[in-house]
Amino acid sequence: MLHHRFIVCNHSNTLSSGSVSWQSPSNIALVKYWGKYDGQIPANASLSFTLTNCFTQTTLDFEPKSSSGFDFKVFLDGERAHSFEPKIEVFFNRIAPYLPFLEDFKFTIRTFNSFPHSSGIASSASGLSALALCLMDLEQQMQPAVTESYFFEKSSFLSRLGSGSAARSPEGPIVVWGEHPEIEDSNNLFGIRYRGPVHEVFSQYRDTVLLVDTGQKEVSSTLGHSLMKDHPFAEQRFKQAQNHLSEMISVLETGDLFRFADLVEREALSLHAMMLTSSPSFILMKPNTLEILERIRNFRSETQIPVCFTLDAGANVHVLYPKAGAETVLGFIKKKLTPFCKNGKFIEDETGEGAKKIS
Ligand code: PMV
C-alpha cells in the first residue's frame, strides 16, 4: 500500500526547542472534487491552479515535553483561536500514525491569512497545508534522508487528511489529485504537479476573485461531500469529472482558451447542479452571482476575449483569464462586475509555484 511509505520506522527525537515557518497558497479547482470515500479518498480526480496572493503563513514553535497526548495552542492574527483547536485536534489524530513525534512536543501554532477573515474565501486548503508543511519540516530535521520529492508528497498526503483540496496546495502551478488513467503517477493519496504538456498561454494565468457573499459558508464541505453518498446523479457526476479531466489534458496542451472556458464553466455549473439536486438541496449562487456569470459570457462572446468563470461551493466568482490582455479584462471587471460584489470587494491573484519556507 502506497501509504506505508509515509510511516516513519526508525523514529528518534533529536530536536530541542525551535520554530519553523511556511507559507502555503490556496488553490482553485478547474475539475472539481465533490464526493469522497472513507479516509479522505476522492470519488474522482481533480485538477487545480495553485494561487499566489491568497495564502496562509504559519509559524510552528516547538518545545520537547515528556507527558503523553497532544499539547498545542492556536493563534490567528496574534489572538488565541480556541474555535480552531477542535479541528486541529481531529487533524492531529488523523496524522499521528505518520508523524510519531507529534506527542513529543508542545506546539504553538501562529497563523495568518493574506486574505480577509470574512472574505468568504475558504482558508482550509492554505491553512492545513501550511501546518502540514511545518510538521514535515520537523520530520526532515529529524530524518535528514528525507528527499525533496518525498517531502512534498508527504506534505500533500498529510494536508489531504485535514482537507481534501489542501492536498493540491503545496505545489504548483497545476496539480492533480486523484487517480486518473491518463495521468502518470496520479493517485488518491496525494496531489502531484501536473507534468503533461502545458501551453505557455497558461503561465501566470489570472484569477480575480469576486467577493459576492462574505458570510459563513451555507454548506460545510463535510455536509456537501456526504450529500453525494445518496445522490441520484453521483455515479454519472464522477464519470463526468474523469472525462472532463481527459478533455482538460488536451486543452492544456493546445492552449485553446475557448474550449478551456467552456469546459471550466461546465465543471463549475455541474458542481452547483449537484447541490441544487441533492437532498436537502442548496442554492449557493446569489442573484449577483448569476448577473456576473451572464456578464462574463456576454463579454466573451462580444469581444472574443477568452475570459471565463469558475465557482467553489459558494456565491463568489473566480474570473479566469490569460496574462496577455489582462489589463483590458481587469478594466471590464472593475467597471462592470465589481458593482455586484459585497462592498465592491475583489482579490487579484494568479497561478503560482506553491508553498515556500519562510526563514
Ligand atoms: O477540501 P474540501 O473538503 O473543503 O472540499 C472542497 C471542494 C470544492 O472546493 C468545492 C472543490 C474543489 O475541488 O476544491
Side-chain angles (χ1 to χ4, degrees):
M1 286 281 281
L2 204 47
H3 73 263
H4 286 151
R5 290 172 53 215
F6 299 128
I7 293 175
V8 180
C9 300
N10 53 345
H11 165 62
S12 72
N13 179 13
T14 49
L15 286 185
S16 51
S17 305
S19 183
V20 286
S21 296
W22 277 82
Q23 181 177 303
S24 189
S26 191
N27 66 77
I28 180 69
L30 306 178
V31 177
K32 311 285 181 182
Y33 147 64
W34 199 242
K36 64 177 171 184
Y37 306 116
D38 287 348
Q40 301 277 91
I41 299 300
N44 60 262
S46 56
L47 176 143
S48 54
F49 278 164
T50 304
L51 299 179
T52 302
N53 301 331
C54 290
F55 62 80
T56 298
Q57 189 168 311
T58 295
T59 298
L60 184 70
D61 300 334
F62 53 94
E63 199 181 300
K65 69 170 179 70
S66 47
S67 57
S68 61
F70 304 135
D71 184 342
F72 64 86
K73 289 192 181 83
V74 182
F75 292 82
L76 178 64
D77 298 332
E79 303 262 325
R80 181 83 185 265
H82 290 282
S83 64
F84 281 35
E85 290 173 4
K87 195 166 180 178
I88 302 298
E89 179 89 28
V90 170
F91 181 49
F92 272 28
N93 273 306
R94 288 187 191 162
I95 62 177
Y98 307 98
L99 297 177
F101 58 82
L102 272 189
E103 290 194 25
D104 298 347
F105 295 99
K106 181 176 165 186
F107 294 110
T108 305
I109 303 163
R110 298 177 201 283
T111 194
F112 79 85
N113 297 324
S114 65
F115 42 94
H117 279 327
S118 54
S119 63
I121 303 277
S123 57
S124 58
S126 54
L128 288 159
S129 56
L131 180 54
L133 285 149
C134 288
L135 292 167
M136 268 313 288
D137 199 304
L138 256 71
E139 177 175 325
Q140 193 171 39
Q141 290 183 36
M142 285 181 256
Q143 310 265 341
V146 164
T147 60
E148 194 181 320
S149 66
Y150 181 87
F151 180 91
F152 280 101
E153 284 174 6
K154 187 164 173 182
S155 296
S156 168
F157 173 87
L158 298 173
S159 304
R160 180 193 108 247
L161 294 172
S163 164
S165 57
R168 299 186 309 241
S169 275
E171 295 191 275
I174 303 177
V175 173
V176 172
W177 166 48
E179 208 174 311
H180 190 279
E182 291 161 56
I183 301 177
E184 204 182 340
D185 297 331
S186 61
N187 71 87
N188 292 335
L189 298 186
F190 55 87
I192 57 163
R193 192 193 294 259
Y194 179 69
R195 291 188 296 262
V198 177
H199 195 281
E200 64 185 34
V201 78
F202 291 108
S203 86
Q204 290 177 288
Y205 216 74
R206 301 297 198 249
D207 178 5
T208 301
V209 191
L210 303 180
L211 306 176
V212 174
D213 185 19
T214 54
Q216 274 290 99
K217 271 172 111 179
E218 261 178 73
V219 183
S220 71
S221 292
T222 312
L223 173 62
H225 290 292
S226 75
L227 291 174
M228 289 304 281
K229 288 214 163 81
D230 299 312
H231 199 294
F233 307 142
E235 282 314 311
Q236 203 50 45
R237 162 62 199 155
F238 302 148
K239 274 191 205 133
Q240 181 195 45
Q242 294 293 91
N243 292 340
H244 280 170
L245 190 37
S246 300
E247 218 176 315
M248 184 59 82
I249 293 170
S250 120
V251 168
L252 287 173
E253 179 167 9
T254 60
D256 181 339
L257 293 182
F258 287 93
R259 263 183 80 202
F260 177 77
D262 174 61
L263 179 58
V264 167
E265 291 187 355
R266 281 189 289 116
E267 251 301 297
L269 294 173
S270 195
L271 169 74
H272 278 253
M274 291 302 108
M275 286 176 273
L276 287 165
T277 52
S278 62
S279 174
S281 85
F282 294 93
I283 304 172
L284 300 181
M285 288 187 258
K286 301 287 178 205
N288 280 356
T289 311
L290 279 176
E291 182 68 43
I292 290 170
L293 304 192
E294 196 165 283
R295 284 174 179 240
I296 291 172
R297 285 193 164 177
N298 288 344
F299 178 79
R300 182 164 79 239
S301 80
E302 280 159 19
T303 61
Q304 289 300 300
I305 297 174
V307 50
C308 69
F309 64 78
T310 188
L311 304 160
D312 261 339
N316 296 332
V317 182
H318 289 249
V319 189
L320 301 175
Y321 49 100
K323 183 178 157 195
E327 284 312 310
T328 311
V329 179
L330 197 57
F332 156 71
I333 290 173
K334 286 182 179 162
K335 202 161 165 216
K336 302 285 186 190
L337 303 184
T338 58
F340 299 96
C341 297
K342 192 98 176 248
N343 304 322
K345 280 201 181 133
F346 66 98
I347 300 173
E348 281 182 67
D349 214 332
E350 63 181 37
T351 54
E353 295 303 317
K356 45 182 183 228
K357 183 168 176 160
I358 308 292
S359 44

